[in-house]
């Protein structure tokens, strides 16, 4: 979850167990933040822009079966053999016998995500959905959109720098301070 998943997003291959408690999530939005350790730049190429925006602005859990279908993970195994499976995958990646499979986009996703007109529609609809769901009171959700847009320009270094800048801004908002205080009070 959160930072752990973000670190895994930097990897070429991800393995998860099928244990009933295994979930993947980027829940930072619930604290008035967003995945600011590379998440806004690394998640969209794996799962698609629409799914990434949904994950980052809602902060819900993703079970392994859905994660493998979306491209978030590459393999599912039993909990007792996770280390062996991960080591085998690492060896396969190193010697070239294992190649990560890139998720194929549907025609609709290609039309929305891979051209400027489609992206305009996608981000416009996402912004409207965020405004409707939050009454405009979660600035971090809008920052997610800005960061993903920056990442789509194709310069990953610039995208990561922009993400870091926006994360610092969101960490200083009253909304974030209030939500973190609420979380601290509940734990």
């Amino acid at each position: 979850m959160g930072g752990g998943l973000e670190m895994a997003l930097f990897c070429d291959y991800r393995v998860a167990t099928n244990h009933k408690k295994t979930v993947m999530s980027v829940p930072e939005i619930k604290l008035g933040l967003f995945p600011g350790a590379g998440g806004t730049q690394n998640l969209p190429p794996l799962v698609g822009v629409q799914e990434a925006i949904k994950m980052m602005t809602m902060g819900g859990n993703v079970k392994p079966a859905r994660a493998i279908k979306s491209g978030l993970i590459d393999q599912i195994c039993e909990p007792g053999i996770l280390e062996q499976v991960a080591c085998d995958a690492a060896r396969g990646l190193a010697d070239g016998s294992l190649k990560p499979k890139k998720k194929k986009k549907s025609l609709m996703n290609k039309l929305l995500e891979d051209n400027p007109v489609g992206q305009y529609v996608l981000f416009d609809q996402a912004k409207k959905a965020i405004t409707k769901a939050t009454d405009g009171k979660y600035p971090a959700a809008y920052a997610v959109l800005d960061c993903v847009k920056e990442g789509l320009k194709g310069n990953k270094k610039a995208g990561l720098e922009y993400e870091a800048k926006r994360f610092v801004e969101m960490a200083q908002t009253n909304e974030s301070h209030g939500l973190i205080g609420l979380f601290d009070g509940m734990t």
Side-chain angles (χ1 to χ4, degrees), residues 104-117:
K104 291 186 180 185
K105 287 185 180 184
S106 68
L107 177 60
M108 181 59 76
N109 284 354
K110 285 180 184 177
L111 291 172
L112 284 172
E113 297 180 5
D114 296 344
N115 75 74
V117 175

Side-chain angles (χ1 to χ4, degrees), residues 145-164:
L145 297 181
D146 294 341
C147 291
V148 173
K149 278 185 202 175
E150 186 66 31
L152 290 175
K153 292 178 183 176
N155 183 333
K156 188 159 184 178
K157 183 175 187 270
L160 290 168
E161 288 171 358
Y162 184 76
E163 177 188 83

Side-chain angles (χ1 to χ4, degrees), residues 26-95:
V26 280
E28 292 87 348
I29 198 76
K30 295 174 183 178
L31 299 176
L33 301 169
F34 62 84
T40 67
Q41 304 305 300
N42 293 327
L43 192 56
L46 288 176
V47 301
V49 175
Q50 295 172 88
E51 181 67 16
I53 289 172
K54 179 180 167 189
M55 286 179 68
M56 291 184 283
T57 59
M58 297 178 70
N61 292 341
V62 178
K63 293 286 205 172
R66 188 170 135 224
I68 202 160
K69 285 179 187 169
S70 72
L72 183 58
I73 62 173
D74 299 286
Q75 190 173 353
I76 300 173
C77 68
E78 294 291 327
I81 60 169
L82 175 62
E83 184 177 356
Q84 181 62 46
V85 170
C87 289
D88 289 347
R91 279 189 284 279
L93 290 166
D95 69 19

